[in-house]
Amino acid sequence: MRILFILSLIAILAGCKDEMLAVPVGAYNYTNHDISMVWADGHWVGGPRVNGGGGIAGSITLPRKYTPGTSVKLEWERGVCIHDTPECEKRDASGGFILTTKSKTVVVPPYDGETMAEVQVVLLPNDDARIYVGNISLLHKEHPSHKEFGSLIEDGPRPLEGIWPPNNSKPKDASK
């Protein structure tokens, strides 16, 4: 009987290690394009306009215990034109905005599964993106984005074209 109890306890503890959690997702737009839709691992997470974001419209599942190599497939539709320019007045055959679809698989940086409260999708110039998981606002000085961006993200959603990436060079891992 005692051995059965010990085996059951080991099985329960092993199951906790692989526990998956649904975590709310917010998308933030740091580009000069209107973004109409964003999906993370196939789940709709909103449509942040220029200078906007943060509304939580969905969730994705992540392992409670961070695993190196954890990634999320992001897809988004954005306007082909720069926000509020004459090109944006053009419409497709059905009268809608002319959109393009972009995608990127993003590796999730380490997070604490005990305190994660939100997945933050940060959409950047050159159709690049980052993901952060945690319980700290993008606007907070101790947000992990500071390692790469300094205070650029902290200053709130706004177009970073010409500011990031530095020297107008494309990031090494950008994909479309």
Side-chain angles (χ1 to χ4, degrees):
M1 184 73 160
R2 190 177 280 180
I3 192 79
L4 186 56
F5 174 76
I6 292 171
L7 289 174
S8 296
L9 183 60
I10 291 170
I12 289 170
L13 292 175
C16 291
K17 177 183 76 166
D18 297 331
E19 182 182 5
M20 299 295 283
L21 299 175
V23 186
V25 182
Y28 301 82
N29 186 356
Y30 284 85
T31 77
N32 61 10
H33 296 275
D34 286 314
I35 297 174
S36 62
M37 302 280 184
V38 179
W39 298 269
D41 283 343
H43 300 275
W44 183 70
V45 297
R49 305 295 251 168
V50 170
N51 302 321
I56 302 217
S59 64
I60 61 171
T61 56
L62 291 172
R64 177 184 297 272
K65 182 175 179 358
Y66 174 76
T67 305
T70 297
S71 62
V72 173
K73 182 177 182 187
L74 298 176
E75 297 174 281
W76 63 99
E77 287 181 347
R78 69 161 176 81
V80 296
C81 60
I82 293 174
H83 176 75
D84 211 20
T85 61
E87 299 96 50
C88 286
E89 294 178 20
K90 297 177 187 172
R91 300 288 187 260
D92 64 19
S94 65
F97 292 104
I98 302 172
L99 302 172
T100 184
T101 301
K102 303 295 178 177
S103 69
K104 180 174 184 163
T105 299
V106 179
V107 175
V108 179
Y111 58 84
D112 179 352
E114 298 302 318
T115 61
M116 64 181 173
E118 178 186 26
V119 174
Q120 300 159 334
V121 174
V122 177
L123 299 161
L124 296 160
N126 299 321
D127 299 317
D128 203 1
R130 298 291 185 277
I131 288 186
Y132 300 98
V133 179
N135 64 353
I136 214 168
S137 165
L138 283 168
L139 306 179
H140 195 279
K141 292 179 184 326
E142 293 183 26
H143 191 273
S145 63
H146 273 258
K147 292 175 186 164
E148 180 177 5
F149 298 98
S151 65
L152 286 176
I153 301 294
E154 170 190 319
D155 291 339
R158 72 219 182 281
L160 294 181
E161 278 83 3
I163 301 171
W164 189 91
N167 302 324
N168 287 330
S169 61
K170 277 195 163 206
K172 293 179 208 170
D173 62 344
S175 63
K176 295 181 182 182

